Amino acid sequence: SIDDRAAFWQLIVDDSGVQFHDTPRAVLEDGDAMPGAQWFPGGTLNLAEHLLAPTGDAPAILATDERGAGVRTLSRDALRAQVGRFQAWLVSQGVGRGDRVAAWMPNREETVIAMLATAALGATFSSSSPDFGVKGVLDRFGQIAPKVLVASDGAFYNGKPRPNTDKLREVATALGDGLAAVVVVPVLSSTPDLSGLGPAVAWPDTVAEGPDQPTFEPVPFDHPLYILYSSGTTGAPKCIVHGHGGTLLQHLKEHRLHTDVRDGDRLFYYTTCGWMMWNWLVSGLAVGATIVLWDGSPVRPAPDALWTMAGELGLTHFGTSPKFLGLCRDGGQRPGSEHDLSALRAVMSTGAPLSDDLFAWVYDAVKPDLQLASISGGTDIVSCFMLGVPTEPVFAGEIQKRGLGMAVDAWSPLGEPVRGQQGELVCHKPFPSMPVAFWQDDDGARYRRAYFEHFPGVWRHGDFIEITDHEGVIVYGRSDATLNPGGVRIGTAEIDGPIEALPEVADSVVVGMPDGDDTVIVLFVVPAEGVVLDDALKARLCATVRANATPRHVPAHILPCPDVPRTISGKKVEIAVRGALLGQPAPNRDALANPEALDWFYVDGKTAWETARS
């Protein structure tokens, strides 16, 4: 798949039944140019056509939420009908090829319908979740000038209704005259308030009548399909444009080969519409899977809510995060004996490295004969660099393999491949799901600077990895958050992974701080409820790190903190914590799920660090 990429990707096309309207003149042109390689030039297709190809009465979408109000079901034929009607409504608003449709939405079936209708037209879809405030939404959608905005009148989270209408008015006003219409999806009320939104309509009115079948605009392989966004913690989010063909082929490969998703399977990933895992989940429709949508907190109405759903709906694939699995373990849950998980074949985890002890917990407490696949990739490629392989062994603490067709390697600072030691994650040959471009980056300078500046002509992703002797992959965290005490490079996951396995620790974040001419490791710990971070516990933490890593990994300082700041998608922001302790300007608060946690580091955390240092 690496040495003969053209043959491999043609095989994916043929084996997956990908239909081109215009036949490509080649599989790959300028195949060594990175960026610059051209995949399937001259060919036209449409992603939505493939996601809607399975027909019949079988369910396409099962949607539910934390309120426990039941499951909403859309069959494959009903989904096609809804897409056809909403597509016709978009056309009535002047939406066509190249226009943008934005969705500020919970993870609901209407969001999927809006995406498919947009893609079918050859327009470009972009989404964010209700987690984002007004500034966070405008930081994203304000850059792309959508012609239509689809938004809910609010959302439920953690047992509370969160009205959205006032914020929606601010957003609609700020987006200006280029916004042809606002579509309001009723979530909190059956009759949403449309006043003050300009041209506005309630969602039911857009799908009440019209054609029951969509039409599909054939577009070039790299025609803009999605605009996704970087986290934006250090400035305005980058608008990353992904194309129809690359997204489709990569997702087909990952679903069919790496994840063993089959026709009739039930595929679930806990995600919001502001994270690329939502786009990945929706592509499961193309292989005939039923996609399962959850809206709200993963631990409402009970701590085992998602496992209850998994049993009741017969999930075959369950996607989550290390944070969630850790909560289940620490709460004493044993999902395998408490729920009927007989249909479950795979558990997937992403967002952070999955520690050895969580591998052990899943096989002990969830199910002994499933595939536990830690996966890693990103918004940048709307897919994975490393992920599962159903036919291979699972080794605790490792991702099973590098993705087929992905020339992933670990490189030293000199650009040399390394094995059995840590290196930069690189991909040294082009692949179909590379971004088409960054939005409003006409000369491509920002795009090249983001990925190709460190190793010219080679994708450097910014993760710190090790490739093991059996070709597994260990992720040590972001390379730009790498610790360098005494000149030795250490990944943050080597420290906080073992620490968070201890029942006394609810969460943690580790940073490298300057101290004279060197760097020292500072570990901030959120103690579990009722636990005090005393000298005895600090000694145990140090011993745990030493036993699981090396003496060089042992923190110089261990300090308590009330919470760990994370992005909306749940990733720790070590760099922002370090900046706060150094008194650097605050990053974009709207990119954080809990900005008050970062505020603590600017005041109390900085004081604690300076006291410890002195």
Side-chain angles (χ1 to χ4, degrees):
S1 71
I2 303 300
D3 294 340
D4 196 348
R5 287 168 295 142
F8 171 73
W9 288 106
Q10 182 63 55
L11 184 60
I12 294 295
V13 166
D14 296 340
D15 192 56
S16 302
V18 173
Q19 298 295 315
F20 283 96
H21 290 259
D22 295 306
T23 303
R25 62 178 179 266
V27 175
L28 180 61
E29 291 182 349
D30 297 324
D32 293 326
M34 196 174 192
Q38 298 293 310
W39 292 94
F40 297 93
T44 60
L45 77 174
N46 191 290
L47 174 134
E49 185 172 12
H50 291 83
L51 269 60
L52 290 169
T55 58
D57 294 332
I61 296 175
L62 299 175
T64 187
D65 57 49
E66 67 168 50
R67 290 179 287 175
V71 177
R72 302 181 300 278
T73 302
L74 269 182
S75 71
R76 295 171 178 179
D77 287 348
L79 176 60
R80 287 182 66 93
Q82 293 283 296
V83 171
R85 293 174 184 181
F86 191 68
Q87 181 190 47
W89 182 85
L90 288 175
V91 171
S92 75
Q93 303 303 304
V95 176
R97 185 165 167 160
D99 290 327
R100 276 78 60 206
V101 174
W104 186 17
M105 280 289 295
N107 187 15
R108 295 174 54 93
E109 62 272 26
E110 294 92 346
T111 320
V112 178
I113 294 165
M115 183 280 285
L116 290 167
T118 301
L121 282 174
T124 304
F125 184 80
S126 189
S127 59
S128 69
S129 73
D131 305 40
F132 289 102
V134 171
K135 184 178 186 302
V137 171
L138 291 175
D139 282 348
R140 290 157 175 78
F141 296 164
Q143 296 186 66
I144 67 170
K147 182 169 280 190
V148 168
L149 174 64
V150 181
S152 66
D153 63 350
F156 277 90
Y157 192 84
N158 207 24
K160 297 179 181 178
R162 302 191 177 190
N164 198 45
T165 305
D166 289 341
K167 293 189 292 183
L168 181 54
R169 292 190 184 100
E170 289 186 59
V171 169
T173 299
L175 290 176
D177 295 338
L179 190 63
V182 175
V183 181
V184 182
V185 177
V187 173
L188 302 185
S189 169
S190 59
T191 54
D193 181 3
L194 305 181
S195 63
L197 293 173
V201 60
W203 173 271
D205 294 334
T206 67
V207 292
E209 56 185 27
D212 285 343
Q213 296 293 329
T215 59
F216 302 102
E217 174 75 8
V219 294
F221 190 86
D222 275 347
H223 184 76
L225 164 70
Y226 293 132
I227 298 176
L228 305 182
Y229 304 93
S230 64
S231 61
T233 54
T234 57
K238 296 189 293 287
C239 303
I240 304 171
V241 183
H242 287 290
H244 277 246
T247 303
L248 176 64
L249 264 60
Q250 186 79 310
H251 288 179
L252 283 170
K253 178 203 76 176
E254 293 184 350
H255 286 140
R256 298 181 69 241
L257 302 183
H258 286 280
T259 317
D260 189 30
V261 181
R262 312 169 190 170
D263 184 31
D265 279 348
R266 295 194 167 187
L267 174 64
F268 166 75
Y269 218 105
Y270 180 76
T271 180
T272 71
C273 301
W275 190 21
M276 53 79 47
M277 291 310 300
W278 180 85
N279 308 79
W280 188 91
L281 169 65
V282 173
S283 287
L285 292 168
V287 299
T290 300
I291 61 170
V292 178
L293 311 180
W294 177 274
D295 177 28
S297 167
V299 294
R300 285 278 185 167
D304 64 346
L306 295 188
W307 297 114
T308 299
M309 177 195 67
E312 291 177 348
L313 298 186
L315 299 188
T316 57
H317 296 75
F318 183 98
T320 183
S321 67
K323 180 73 172 175
F324 175 78
L325 294 175
L327 287 173
C328 295
R329 176 203 60 197
D330 296 345
Q333 294 186 41
R334 298 193 61 82
S337 57
E338 296 162 356
H339 305 280
D340 178 7
L341 302 182
S342 56
L344 190 63
R345 302 201 311 272
V347 169
M348 300 160 287
S349 173
T350 193
L354 190 64
S355 61
D356 291 20
D357 66 289
L358 285 176
F359 275 82
W361 179 83
V362 168
Y363 280 108
D364 175 58
V366 179
K367 200 174 183 181
D369 60 345
L370 51 72
Q371 178 196 7
L372 175 55
S374 180
I375 65 178
S376 180
T379 298
D380 317 76
I381 63 170
V382 72
S383 57
C384 302
F385 281 121
M386 301 90 65
L387 65 169
V389 180
T391 57
E392 294 286 338
V394 174
F395 290 83
E398 298 183 17
I399 299 175
Q400 285 181 281
K401 288 288 184 288
R402 292 168 282 175
L404 292 166
M406 310 294 281
V408 170
D409 214 335
W411 278 14
S412 74
L414 299 178
E416 300 167 335
V418 294
R419 291 293 181 274
Q421 64 187 71
Q422 299 161 16
E424 290 277 358
L425 190 166
V426 301
C427 193
H428 54 85
K429 291 185 179 180
F431 51 94
S433 66
M434 290 170 59
V436 173
F438 285 178
W439 191 256
Q440 295 180 330
D441 179 32
D442 295 339
D443 62 359
R446 292 170 56 214
Y447 179 23
R448 291 191 298 273
R449 190 164 58 248
Y451 308 114
F452 305 104
E453 191 171 66
H454 196 83
F455 299 117
V458 171
W459 181 292
R460 171 185 175 262
H461 193 60
D463 278 346
F464 208 26
I465 67 169
E466 174 188 342
I467 298 175
T468 67
D469 56 2
H470 45 261
E471 298 297 315
V473 183
I474 302 172
V475 179
Y476 292 99
R478 296 293 296 172
S479 57
D480 48 13
T482 298
L483 314 171
N484 290 281
V488 178
R489 297 195 299 174
I490 294 173
T492 55
E494 296 177 86
I495 298 172
D496 59 20
I499 287 297
E500 290 171 20
L502 300 175
E504 297 93 338
V505 176
D507 207 348
S508 67
V509 62
V510 58
V511 295
M513 297 298 295
D515 190 26
D517 295 329
D518 200 0
T519 297
V520 296
I521 298 174
V522 183
L523 172 66
F524 285 91
V525 170
V526 182
E529 187 175 355
V531 173
V532 176
L533 183 63
D534 55 16
D535 289 343
L537 179 53
K538 290 181 181 180
R540 186 180 177 203
L541 297 179
C542 289
T544 299
V545 172
R546 184 180 291 107
N548 284 273
T550 74
R552 288 183 178 272
H553 291 70
V554 175
H557 304 283
I558 303 178
L559 305 169
C561 68
D563 197 6
V564 173
R566 296 177 180 269
T567 65
I568 296 293
S569 59
K571 296 180 180 179
K572 297 179 186 179
V573 288
E574 294 103 333
I575 296 172
V577 169
R578 184 178 186 273
L581 298 177
L582 293 173
Q584 295 172 356
N588 185 355
R589 289 173 55 86
D590 283 330
L592 300 176
N594 53 343
E596 67 285 349
L598 184 61
D599 295 340
W600 182 89
F601 285 93
Y602 274 97
V603 183
D604 297 331
K606 184 177 180 182
T607 300
W609 155 239
E610 290 175 345
T611 300
R613 179 179 168 186
S614 63

